[in-house]
């Protein structure tokens, strides 16, 4: 009980604490803002979670998100139809993930190293394409609606999150392809001997991470109506922390979709609360570091296995 | 009887180690064929080749009279060969049912979408398990919580689930107590009765003579002796393995 839901209840306690003690935390505008920020983070971190389910670390998702965002911004800025830019952004992210998968499964570069490399390449390309400055402009309202729109009182982005989470949840726990990802991560040799194509599954895990990064990039660009070369960078630690914190709940020590979403909510809420409580900007970084380490310490985790296999 | 599996002149090296040096073996359909030999004789290596886990340097493999080249475990499984490896290859943090159905999960259609049929897998897993160990009833238990013998039962159930023509068991009784061993032997007899071909690797001479029809002895990666197991005693078999002496066959 504690093992499965401890962190979850700690998150609720944090929520109640902030409701009572943090001025303005309880305002509708603030709560909606938290929900929205947590939605971006969740979608991004769900991708990372899929890679981690196959026991591979993707350290490139944040910079791939930046690069995809820059491509989306550049295409729209240059007058191309925005749906095309959306497809290109998601496609580029997916392709980058497939490249990671190729490096890991064919060239046998450990994912920690391979994705560190592609991360740096993506970062460099993002700066190259922008010349270091953001694409900004007055963009098609239909495109901006993706992230800023509302259906009634509910932000569209929250609905998008619910759909993404629903699909990811069913896929990861209720389909053959989903449990094959898990089997691949849990015991690659056992999975291989059971006739599962473990290489393909690792490529799929990393490709999903890239696809999520591309999709999040689209949403972020629509939300900001700008595309800056470092726009995804801050999400790296946040996304990893959300996933690892998520591993402390529901199915302890295993990366899981619901855990990641709750983890993202807790982390965004914490960041927001700290600011409202008047904490200095650097406190959040310190907290994130502690969350990352503590989460892995409490779970005899897949991540440890991944690190050992290097 | 016709040959079910024929291996001719198989060579396999691990780096400088010559694990198999020209092994040939002929396994008849419907037989329980035991492969014996001292530690490091090459038994598991031979099994890994038969199950597609390793590929040999050279040699021929025939299954049901057609030549095969296995490049992955899937190839062997689709040729009707299911294997319980000596190291079991279970995923400790997954459940009994998940392990038994790994790679061959049961599904059902829900609103046109193919989803896992978890109740059916639990039910069928329990069915397989009850043939081996009636004390394990919760198929949602993680395998890491099981004893060595119980994990072995999970690995055996996984092989049964493929419903293969040919079942290979590499040291299936090594971690088992007396009663569990008897159940595995009973299962081997049942497989034979159902018309399957069984390959059994074992160091337990008593088990081998109890169920085997034929015995092949390997020694340092080469064939040593092929024996008819009828009238063979455990002591005589030990003697053959230790002496490696063809001429003592008459003894
Ligand atoms: N992956 C490997 N890498 C290097 N050498 C190996 C490997 N697997 C087996 N060997 C070597 O190949 C030879 C045959 O090993 P194998 O496991 O087939 O023997 P075995 O007859 O199954 O022995 P046991 O009765 O101990 O299970 C041994 O010398 C072993 O050390
Ligand atoms: Mg062996």
């Amino acid at each position: 009980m504690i093992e499965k839901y401890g962190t979850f209840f700690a998150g609720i306690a944090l929520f109640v604490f902030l409701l009572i003690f943090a001025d303005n935390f309880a305002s509708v505008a603030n709560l909606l803002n938290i929900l929205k920020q947590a939605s971006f983070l969740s979608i991004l971190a769900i991708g990372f979670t899929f890679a981690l389910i196959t026991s591979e670390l993707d350290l490139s998702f944040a910079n791939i998100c930046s690069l995809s965002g820059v491509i989306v911004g550049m295409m729209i800025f240059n007058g191309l139809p925005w749906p095309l830019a959306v497809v290109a952004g998601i496609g580029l992210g997916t392709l980058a993930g497939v490249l990671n998968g190729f490096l890991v499964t064919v060239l046998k570069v450990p994912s920690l190293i391979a994705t560190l490399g592609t991360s740096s390449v993506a970062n460099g390309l993002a700066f190259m394409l922008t010349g270091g400055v953001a694409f900004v402009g007055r963009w098609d309202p239909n495109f901006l609606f993706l992230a800023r729109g509302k259906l009634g009182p509910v932000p569209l982005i929250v609905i998008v999150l619910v759909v993404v989470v629903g699909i990811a949840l069913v896929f990861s726990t209720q389909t053959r392809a989903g449990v094959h990802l898990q089997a691949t991560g849990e015991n690659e040799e056992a999975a291989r001997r059971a006739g599962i194509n473990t290489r393909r599954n690792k490529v799929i895990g990393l490709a999903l991470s890239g696809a999520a990064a591309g999709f999040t990039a689209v949403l972020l660009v629509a939300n900001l109506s700008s595309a800056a070369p470092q726009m995804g960078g801050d999400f790296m630690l946040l996304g990893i922390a959300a996933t690892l914190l998520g591993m402390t709940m529901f199915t302890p020590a295993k990366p899981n979709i619901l855990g990641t979403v709750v983890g993202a909510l807790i982390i965004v809420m914490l960041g927001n609360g700290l600011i409202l409580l008047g904490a200095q900007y650097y406190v959040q970084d310190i907290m994130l570091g502690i969350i990352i380490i503590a989460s892995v310490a409490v779970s005899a985790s897949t991540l440890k296995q991944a690190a050992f296999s290097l | 009887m016709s040959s079910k599996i024929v291996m001719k002149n198989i060579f396999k090296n691990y780096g400088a180690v010559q694990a198999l040096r020209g092994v040939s073996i002929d396994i008849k359909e419907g037989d329980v064929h035991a492969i014996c030999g001292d530690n490091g004789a090459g038994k598991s290596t031979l099994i890994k080749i038969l199950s597609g886990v390793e590929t040999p340097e050279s040699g021929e493999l025939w299954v049901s009279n057609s030549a095969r080249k296995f490049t992955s475990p899937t190839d062997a499984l689709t040729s009707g060969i299911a294997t319980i490896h000596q190291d079991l290859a279970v995923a400790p943090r997954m459940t009994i049912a998940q392990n038994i159905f790994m790679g061959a999960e049961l599904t059902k259609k829900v609103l046109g979408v193919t989803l896992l049929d978890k109740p059916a897998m639990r039910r069928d897993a329990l069915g397989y398990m009850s043939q081996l160990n009636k004390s394990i009833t919760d198929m949602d238990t993680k395998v890491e919580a099981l004893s060595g013998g119980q994990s072995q039962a999970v690995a055996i159930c996984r092989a049964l689930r493929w419903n293969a023509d040919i079942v290979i068991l590499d040291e299936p009784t090594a971690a088992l107590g007396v009663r569990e061993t008897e159940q595995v032997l009973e299962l081997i007899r049942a497989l034979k009765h159902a018309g399957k071909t069984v390959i059994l690797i074992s160091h337990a001479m008593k088990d081998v003579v109890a169920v085997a029809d034929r015995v092949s002895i390997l020694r340092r990666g080469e064939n040593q002796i092929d024996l008819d197991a009828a009238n063979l005693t455990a002591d005589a078999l030990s003697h053959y393995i230790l002496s490696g002496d063809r001429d003592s066959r008459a003894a």
Side-chain angles (χ1 to χ4, degrees):
Chain A
M1 191 63 186
I2 289 274
E3 199 192 351
K4 278 188 171 176
Y5 301 105
T7 324
F8 181 66
F9 288 127
I12 291 179
L14 174 69
F15 180 64
V16 173
F17 174 85
L18 291 173
L19 276 182
I20 298 170
F21 293 104
D23 287 342
N24 300 324
F25 181 81
S27 74
V28 174
N30 189 54
L31 291 177
L32 275 180
N33 183 40
I34 288 177
L35 210 53
K36 200 168 165 180
Q37 294 306 321
S39 298
F40 294 127
L41 180 57
S42 294
I43 294 170
L44 190 58
I46 283 172
F48 178 77
T49 304
F50 271 114
L52 197 59
I53 285 175
T54 70
S55 234
E56 299 299 341
L57 276 172
D58 183 2
L59 298 185
S60 67
F61 68 90
N63 283 343
I64 287 175
C65 178
S66 295
L67 179 60
S68 287
V70 162
I71 294 286
V72 171
M74 191 171 76
M75 287 176 72
I76 298 179
F77 185 80
N78 286 308
L80 289 161
W82 67 264
L84 192 68
V86 169
V87 172
I90 299 172
L92 178 82
T94 312
L95 217 61
V98 172
L99 173 67
N100 281 332
F102 171 81
L103 296 175
V104 170
T105 61
V106 180
L107 300 189
K108 309 282 182 209
V109 183
S111 56
L112 182 76
I113 305 297
T115 59
L116 203 58
T118 46
S119 180
S120 181
V121 171
N123 187 44
L125 288 176
F127 275 91
M128 185 182 91
L129 291 173
T130 55
V133 285
F135 291 107
V136 286
R138 282 185 45 225
W139 294 351
D140 189 329
N142 287 327
F143 172 65
L144 302 183
F145 187 80
L146 291 177
R148 297 186 191 172
K150 287 191 174 185
L151 290 184
V154 189
L156 185 64
I157 176 83
V158 175
I159 296 170
V160 170
L161 174 70
V162 170
V163 171
V164 169
V165 170
I167 293 172
L169 205 55
V170 170
F171 174 69
S172 66
T173 63
Q174 305 297 327
T175 69
R176 289 192 69 188
V179 294
H180 287 183
L181 293 182
Q182 196 194 336
T184 300
E186 288 293 323
N187 185 339
E188 189 176 353
E189 183 59 17
R192 186 174 85 87
R193 290 188 194 173
I196 294 172
N197 188 336
T198 53
R199 279 181 172 198
R200 188 175 66 199
N201 280 304
K202 292 201 174 246
V203 174
I204 291 173
L206 288 161
L208 286 173
S209 185
F215 187 46
T216 309
V218 168
L219 297 173
L220 286 173
V221 172
N223 189 49
L224 302 167
S225 56
S226 78
Q230 75 286 15
M231 57 180 271
D234 284 349
F235 281 102
M236 165 132 157
L237 277 182
L238 293 169
I240 292 175
T243 302
L244 297 182
L245 190 59
M247 284 173 64
T248 65
M249 31 187 148
F250 308 133
T251 55
K254 289 185 182 178
N256 69 93
I257 304 299
L258 270 188
T260 297
V261 175
V262 175
L265 261 171
I266 292 176
I267 279 164
V268 171
M269 200 163 65
L270 187 67
N272 178 275
L274 283 172
I275 292 168
L276 294 179
L277 289 170
Q280 296 289 345
Y281 65 94
Y282 46 75
V283 176
Q284 196 193 357
D285 278 347
I286 295 173
M287 296 293 274
L288 274 183
I290 293 171
I291 287 174
I292 287 175
I293 294 169
S295 299
V296 176
V298 298
S299 27
S301 76
T302 329
L303 185 70
K304 276 186 192 164
Q305 284 178 13
F308 280 144
S309 73
L310 290 180
Chain B
M1 256 185 304
S2 62
S3 293
K4 189 72 181 174
I5 293 179
V6 176
M7 295 175 94
K8 283 187 195 157
N9 219 13
I10 302 283
F11 280 81
K12 173 71 193 174
N13 302 333
Y14 292 108
V17 181
Q18 292 184 300
L20 297 176
R21 300 181 289 175
V23 170
S24 298
I25 207 159
D26 182 344
I27 292 167
K28 304 289 183 204
E29 182 162 7
D31 265 5
V32 175
H33 195 123
I35 299 175
C36 296
D38 228 334
N39 294 117
K43 306 179 296 295
S44 293
T45 305
L46 195 68
I47 288 333
K48 284 181 184 155
I49 288 166
L50 263 181
S51 58
V53 170
E54 302 276 6
T55 44
E57 261 75 48
S58 63
E60 290 172 34
L61 168 62
W62 297 71
V63 180
S64 305
N65 296 318
S66 50
R68 302 291 165 91
K69 268 208 160 42
F70 294 163
T71 55
S72 77
T74 312
D75 292 347
L77 289 167
T78 53
S79 299
I81 302 177
T83 307
I84 300 122
H85 291 278
Q86 190 168 7
D87 61 5
L88 302 186
V90 287
R93 303 200 312 166
M94 296 177 79
T95 68
I96 295 175
Q98 284 176 323
N99 267 282
I100 291 178
F101 284 95
M102 188 183 286
E105 297 80 5
L106 303 179
T107 56
K108 61 184 175 198
K109 286 252 180 200
V110 179
L111 305 173
V113 186
T114 307
L115 298 180
L116 295 174
D117 192 345
K118 292 182 181 179
M121 285 192 274
R122 261 184 227 117
R123 187 193 62 221
D124 290 5
L126 189 61
Y128 290 126
M129 192 53 89
S130 62
Q131 297 176 40
L132 289 161
N133 190 326
K134 290 210 165 45
S135 68
I136 309 172
T137 52
D138 181 3
M139 296 299 114
D140 289 334
T141 308
K142 287 192 182 147
V143 169
E144 66 188 353
L146 302 180
S147 72
Q150 292 169 329
S151 309
Q152 201 134 30
V154 172
I156 293 175
C157 289
R158 183 193 299 163
L160 294 179
R161 169 248 19 220
W162 289 105
N163 202 14
D165 279 359
I166 301 161
V167 180
I168 303 176
L169 304 98
D170 192 350
E171 301 281 3
T173 57
L176 304 188
V178 179
R179 182 184 313 176
E180 284 173 318
T181 298
E182 197 42 56
Q183 267 167 327
V184 169
L185 296 182
E186 206 40 60
L187 179 85
I188 291 172
R189 291 188 191 103
L191 289 170
K192 177 184 164 66
H193 192 71
K196 309 207 182 243
T197 306
V198 178
I199 301 174
L200 170 68
I201 316 286
S202 182
H203 286 290
M205 302 308 147
K206 223 157 54 66
D207 299 350
V208 171
V209 296
V211 294
D213 298 302
R214 291 199 65 78
V215 182
S216 296
I217 297 174
L218 294 187
R219 195 177 174 87
R220 294 195 208 102
E222 293 180 39
N223 293 76
Q224 200 69 26
I225 316 177
D226 269 318
L227 297 167
D228 193 325
N231 305 321
L232 188 66
T233 63
D235 283 347
L237 183 55
S238 303
H239 176 76
Y240 287 128
I241 292 170
L242 290 175
S243 69
D245 185 0
R246 269 171 207 280
D247 300 332
S248 65
R249 200 188 310 197

Short mmCIF file of all heavy atoms in Angstrom, two decimals, chain A residues 37-78:
data_model
loop_
_atom_site.label_atom_id
_atom_site.label_comp_id
_atom_site.label_asym_id
_atom_site.label_seq_id
_atom_site.Cartn_x
_atom_site.Cartn_y
_atom_site.Cartn_z
N GLN A 37 1.06 23.29 -17.87
CA GLN A 37 2.49 23.01 -17.85
C GLN A 37 2.74 21.52 -17.63
O GLN A 37 3.62 20.92 -18.25
CB GLN A 37 3.20 23.83 -16.75
CG GLN A 37 3.18 25.33 -16.98
CD GLN A 37 3.74 25.71 -18.35
OE1 GLN A 37 4.71 25.13 -18.82
NE2 GLN A 37 3.11 26.68 -19.00
N ALA A 38 1.96 20.93 -16.73
CA ALA A 38 2.12 19.51 -16.44
C ALA A 38 1.76 18.67 -17.67
O ALA A 38 2.31 17.58 -17.87
CB ALA A 38 1.27 19.09 -15.25
N SER A 39 0.85 19.17 -18.50
CA SER A 39 0.48 18.43 -19.71
C SER A 39 1.65 18.36 -20.69
O SER A 39 1.97 17.29 -21.21
CB SER A 39 -0.72 19.09 -20.40
OG SER A 39 -1.83 19.08 -19.54
N PHE A 40 2.31 19.51 -20.93
CA PHE A 40 3.49 19.50 -21.80
C PHE A 40 4.52 18.51 -21.28
O PHE A 40 5.04 17.66 -22.01
CB PHE A 40 4.15 20.89 -21.86
CG PHE A 40 3.31 21.94 -22.51
CD1 PHE A 40 3.03 23.14 -21.86
CD2 PHE A 40 2.79 21.75 -23.79
CE1 PHE A 40 2.26 24.12 -22.47
CE2 PHE A 40 2.03 22.74 -24.40
CZ PHE A 40 1.76 23.92 -23.73
N LEU A 41 4.79 18.65 -19.98
CA LEU A 41 5.83 17.82 -19.37
C LEU A 41 5.46 16.34 -19.43
O LEU A 41 6.30 15.48 -19.73
CB LEU A 41 6.07 18.26 -17.92
CG LEU A 41 7.13 17.48 -17.14
CD1 LEU A 41 8.48 17.52 -17.87
CD2 LEU A 41 7.27 18.02 -15.72
N SER A 42 4.19 16.04 -19.16
CA SER A 42 3.75 14.62 -19.15
C SER A 42 3.94 13.98 -20.51
O SER A 42 4.46 12.87 -20.63
CB SER A 42 2.27 14.52 -18.77
OG SER A 42 2.08 14.93 -17.46
N ILE A 43 3.50 14.68 -21.55
CA ILE A 43 3.57 14.10 -22.89
C ILE A 43 5.03 13.82 -23.25
O ILE A 43 5.37 12.75 -23.76
CB ILE A 43 2.90 15.04 -23.93
CG1 ILE A 43 1.40 15.13 -23.64
CG2 ILE A 43 3.14 14.53 -25.35
CD1 ILE A 43 0.67 16.19 -24.44
N LEU A 44 5.88 14.77 -22.93
CA LEU A 44 7.31 14.60 -23.19
C LEU A 44 7.86 13.41 -22.40
O LEU A 44 8.56 12.54 -22.94
CB LEU A 44 8.04 15.89 -22.81
CG LEU A 44 9.50 16.03 -23.22
CD1 LEU A 44 9.64 15.89 -24.72
CD2 LEU A 44 10.03 17.38 -22.76
N ALA A 45 7.52 13.38 -21.11
CA ALA A 45 8.10 12.35 -20.22
C ALA A 45 7.53 10.96 -20.52
O ALA A 45 8.19 9.96 -20.26
CB ALA A 45 7.86 12.72 -18.77
N ILE A 46 6.32 10.88 -21.06
CA ILE A 46 5.77 9.58 -21.44
C ILE A 46 6.67 8.92 -22.49
O ILE A 46 6.90 7.71 -22.47
CB ILE A 46 4.31 9.72 -21.95
CG1 ILE A 46 3.37 9.91 -20.76
CG2 ILE A 46 3.89 8.49 -22.75
CD1 ILE A 46 1.94 10.26 -21.14
N GLY A 47 7.21 9.74 -23.38
CA GLY A 47 8.15 9.21 -24.37
C GLY A 47 9.38 8.62 -23.70
O GLY A 47 9.75 7.46 -23.95
N PHE A 48 9.98 9.40 -22.82
CA PHE A 48 11.16 8.93 -22.08
C PHE A 48 10.83 7.64 -21.33
O PHE A 48 11.64 6.72 -21.26
CB PHE A 48 11.60 10.03 -21.10
CG PHE A 48 12.79 9.65 -20.25
CD1 PHE A 48 14.08 9.66 -20.76
CD2 PHE A 48 12.61 9.29 -18.92
CE1 PHE A 48 15.16 9.32 -19.96
CE2 PHE A 48 13.69 8.95 -18.12
CZ PHE A 48 14.96 8.96 -18.64
N THR A 49 9.61 7.58 -20.80
CA THR A 49 9.16 6.40 -20.04
C THR A 49 9.17 5.16 -20.94
O THR A 49 9.61 4.09 -20.52
CB THR A 49 7.75 6.63 -19.48
OG1 THR A 49 7.76 7.82 -18.69
CG2 THR A 49 7.31 5.46 -18.60
N PHE A 50 8.70 5.30 -22.17
CA PHE A 50 8.68 4.15 -23.08
C PHE A 50 10.10 3.65 -23.35
O PHE A 50 10.34 2.44 -23.39
CB PHE A 50 7.97 4.49 -24.39
CG PHE A 50 6.49 4.23 -24.33
CD1 PHE A 50 5.58 5.27 -24.41
CD2 PHE A 50 6.00 2.95 -24.16
CE1 PHE A 50 4.21 5.04 -24.35
CE2 PHE A 50 4.64 2.70 -24.09
CZ PHE A 50 3.74 3.75 -24.18
N ALA A 51 11.03 4.57 -23.56
CA ALA A 51 12.42 4.14 -23.78
C ALA A 51 12.92 3.41 -22.54
O ALA A 51 13.55 2.35 -22.64
CB ALA A 51 13.30 5.35 -24.10
N LEU A 52 12.61 3.96 -21.37
CA LEU A 52 13.09 3.35 -20.13
C LEU A 52 12.44 1.98 -19.89
O LEU A 52 13.05 1.10 -19.29
CB LEU A 52 12.82 4.29 -18.95
CG LEU A 52 13.62 4.00 -17.67
CD1 LEU A 52 15.12 4.07 -17.94
CD2 LEU A 52 13.23 4.97 -16.56
N ILE A 53 11.21 1.81 -20.35
CA ILE A 53 10.56 0.50 -20.21
C ILE A 53 11.38 -0.57 -20.94
O ILE A 53 11.49 -1.69 -20.47
CB ILE A 53 9.10 0.55 -20.76
CG1 ILE A 53 8.20 1.29 -19.77
CG2 ILE A 53 8.56 -0.86 -21.03
CD1 ILE A 53 6.77 1.51 -20.26
N THR A 54 12.00 -0.20 -22.06
CA THR A 54 12.84 -1.18 -22.76
C THR A 54 14.27 -1.19 -22.20
O THR A 54 15.18 -1.75 -22.78
CB THR A 54 12.93 -0.91 -24.27
OG1 THR A 54 13.69 0.29 -24.48
CG2 THR A 54 11.56 -0.75 -24.90
N SER A 55 14.45 -0.52 -21.04
CA SER A 55 15.75 -0.46 -20.37
C SER A 55 16.78 0.39 -21.11
O SER A 55 17.97 0.14 -20.99
CB SER A 55 16.31 -1.86 -20.13
OG SER A 55 16.63 -2.02 -18.78
N GLU A 56 16.33 1.35 -21.87
CA GLU A 56 17.26 2.27 -22.52
C GLU A 56 17.01 3.68 -22.01
O GLU A 56 15.88 4.09 -21.81
CB GLU A 56 17.09 2.23 -24.05
CG GLU A 56 17.36 0.87 -24.69
CD GLU A 56 18.78 0.35 -24.48
OE1 GLU A 56 19.68 1.15 -24.15
OE2 GLU A 56 18.97 -0.86 -24.61
N LEU A 57 18.12 4.39 -21.80
CA LEU A 57 18.03 5.77 -21.35
C LEU A 57 18.06 6.69 -22.56
O LEU A 57 18.95 6.56 -23.40
CB LEU A 57 19.26 6.11 -20.49
CG LEU A 57 19.20 5.73 -19.02
CD1 LEU A 57 20.58 5.98 -18.41
CD2 LEU A 57 18.15 6.54 -18.31
N ASP A 58 17.13 7.61 -22.64
CA ASP A 58 17.17 8.60 -23.72
C ASP A 58 17.46 9.97 -23.13
O ASP A 58 16.59 10.61 -22.56
CB ASP A 58 15.84 8.62 -24.48
CG ASP A 58 15.90 9.60 -25.65
OD1 ASP A 58 16.98 10.21 -25.85
OD2 ASP A 58 14.88 9.76 -26.34
N LEU A 59 18.71 10.40 -23.24
CA LEU A 59 19.07 11.71 -22.71
C LEU A 59 18.93 12.79 -23.77
O LEU A 59 19.27 13.95 -23.55
CB LEU A 59 20.51 11.69 -22.19
CG LEU A 59 20.78 10.72 -21.04
CD1 LEU A 59 22.20 10.86 -20.53
CD2 LEU A 59 19.79 10.96 -19.90
N SER A 60 18.42 12.42 -24.95
CA SER A 60 18.39 13.38 -26.05
C SER A 60 17.02 14.02 -26.25
O SER A 60 16.86 14.94 -27.04
CB SER A 60 18.81 12.69 -27.36
OG SER A 60 17.84 11.72 -27.73
N PHE A 61 15.99 13.53 -25.51
CA PHE A 61 14.63 13.96 -25.84
C PHE A 61 14.43 15.47 -25.74
O PHE A 61 13.72 16.07 -26.54
CB PHE A 61 13.58 13.20 -25.00
CG PHE A 61 13.60 13.54 -23.54
CD1 PHE A 61 12.83 14.57 -23.04
CD2 PHE A 61 14.40 12.81 -22.66
CE1 PHE A 61 12.84 14.87 -21.69
CE2 PHE A 61 14.41 13.10 -21.31
CZ PHE A 61 13.64 14.14 -20.81
N ALA A 62 15.09 16.11 -24.78
CA ALA A 62 14.87 17.54 -24.59
C ALA A 62 15.44 18.34 -25.77
O ALA A 62 14.79 19.25 -26.30
CB ALA A 62 15.48 18.01 -23.28
N ASN A 63 16.64 17.99 -26.19
CA ASN A 63 17.23 18.73 -27.32
C ASN A 63 16.60 18.34 -28.65
O ASN A 63 16.54 19.16 -29.57
CB ASN A 63 18.74 18.53 -27.35
CG ASN A 63 19.44 19.39 -26.29
OD1 ASN A 63 18.84 20.34 -25.77
ND2 ASN A 63 20.67 19.05 -25.97
N ILE A 64 16.10 17.12 -28.75
CA ILE A 64 15.34 16.74 -29.95
C ILE A 64 14.06 17.56 -30.00
O ILE A 64 13.63 18.02 -31.06
CB ILE A 64 15.05 15.23 -29.96
CG1 ILE A 64 16.34 14.47 -30.28
CG2 ILE A 64 13.97 14.88 -30.99
CD1 ILE A 64 16.21 12.97 -30.19
N CYS A 65 13.48 17.79 -28.83
CA CYS A 65 12.30 18.65 -28.73
C CYS A 65 12.63 20.05 -29.25
O CYS A 65 11.89 20.63 -30.04
CB CYS A 65 11.81 18.68 -27.28
SG CYS A 65 10.39 19.74 -27.00
N SER A 66 13.78 20.58 -28.84
CA SER A 66 14.19 21.90 -29.32
C SER A 66 14.34 21.91 -30.84
O SER A 66 13.82 22.81 -31.52
CB SER A 66 15.54 22.30 -28.71
OG SER A 66 15.43 22.45 -27.33
N LEU A 67 15.03 20.90 -31.35
CA LEU A 67 15.29 20.86 -32.80
C LEU A 67 13.97 20.75 -33.58
O LEU A 67 13.76 21.47 -34.56
CB LEU A 67 16.22 19.69 -33.14
CG LEU A 67 16.55 19.52 -34.62
CD1 LEU A 67 17.24 20.76 -35.17
CD2 LEU A 67 17.43 18.28 -34.84
N SER A 68 13.08 19.88 -33.11
CA SER A 68 11.79 19.74 -33.78
C SER A 68 11.03 21.06 -33.73
O SER A 68 10.41 21.48 -34.71
CB SER A 68 10.94 18.65 -33.10
OG SER A 68 11.45 17.39 -33.41
N GLY A 69 11.08 21.72 -32.58
CA GLY A 69 10.39 23.00 -32.42
C GLY A 69 10.93 24.04 -33.40
O GLY A 69 10.16 24.78 -34.03
N VAL A 70 12.24 24.05 -33.54
CA VAL A 70 12.86 25.01 -34.45
C VAL A 70 12.42 24.73 -35.89
O VAL A 70 12.12 25.66 -36.66
CB VAL A 70 14.40 24.93 -34.31
CG1 VAL A 70 15.08 25.56 -35.51
CG2 VAL A 70 14.83 25.60 -33.02
N ILE A 71 12.34 23.45 -36.25
CA ILE A 71 11.90 23.09 -37.61
C ILE A 71 10.45 23.55 -37.83
O ILE A 71 10.12 24.15 -38.87
CB ILE A 71 11.99 21.56 -37.81
CG1 ILE A 71 13.45 21.11 -37.77
CG2 ILE A 71 11.32 21.13 -39.12
CD1 ILE A 71 14.26 21.45 -38.99
N VAL A 72 9.60 23.28 -36.84
CA VAL A 72 8.20 23.70 -36.94
C VAL A 72 8.12 25.22 -37.11
O VAL A 72 7.45 25.73 -38.01
CB VAL A 72 7.41 23.26 -35.68
CG1 VAL A 72 6.01 23.87 -35.69
CG2 VAL A 72 7.32 21.75 -35.61
N GLY A 73 8.86 25.94 -36.24
CA GLY A 73 8.85 27.40 -36.29
C GLY A 73 9.37 27.92 -37.62
O GLY A 73 8.78 28.82 -38.24
N MET A 74 10.43 27.32 -38.10
CA MET A 74 11.05 27.78 -39.35
C MET A 74 10.10 27.57 -40.53
O MET A 74 9.96 28.44 -41.38
CB MET A 74 12.34 27.00 -39.58
CG MET A 74 13.22 27.54 -40.68
SD MET A 74 14.83 26.70 -40.70
CE MET A 74 14.39 25.17 -41.45
N MET A 75 9.44 26.44 -40.56
CA MET A 75 8.52 26.15 -41.66
C MET A 75 7.35 27.12 -41.67
O MET A 75 6.97 27.66 -42.71
CB MET A 75 8.04 24.69 -41.59
CG MET A 75 9.13 23.70 -41.98
SD MET A 75 8.64 21.98 -41.79
CE MET A 75 7.48 21.79 -43.14
N ILE A 76 6.77 27.33 -40.50
CA ILE A 76 5.62 28.24 -40.45
C ILE A 76 6.06 29.68 -40.73
O ILE A 76 5.41 30.41 -41.47
CB ILE A 76 4.91 28.15 -39.08
CG1 ILE A 76 4.38 26.73 -38.86
CG2 ILE A 76 3.77 29.16 -39.00
CD1 ILE A 76 3.70 26.51 -37.54
N PHE A 77 7.20 30.04 -40.18
CA PHE A 77 7.76 31.37 -40.39
C PHE A 77 7.96 31.64 -41.87
O PHE A 77 7.76 32.74 -42.36
CB PHE A 77 9.11 31.46 -39.64
CG PHE A 77 9.74 32.81 -39.67
CD1 PHE A 77 9.32 33.81 -38.80
CD2 PHE A 77 10.77 33.10 -40.57
CE1 PHE A 77 9.90 35.06 -38.82
CE2 PHE A 77 11.35 34.36 -40.60
CZ PHE A 77 10.91 35.34 -39.72
N ASN A 78 8.33 30.59 -42.60
CA ASN A 78 8.57 30.75 -44.04
C ASN A 78 7.33 30.51 -44.88
O ASN A 78 7.42 30.29 -46.09
CB ASN A 78 9.69 29.81 -44.48
CG ASN A 78 11.05 30.32 -44.01
OD1 ASN A 78 11.40 31.47 -44.25
ND2 ASN A 78 11.78 29.48 -43.30
#
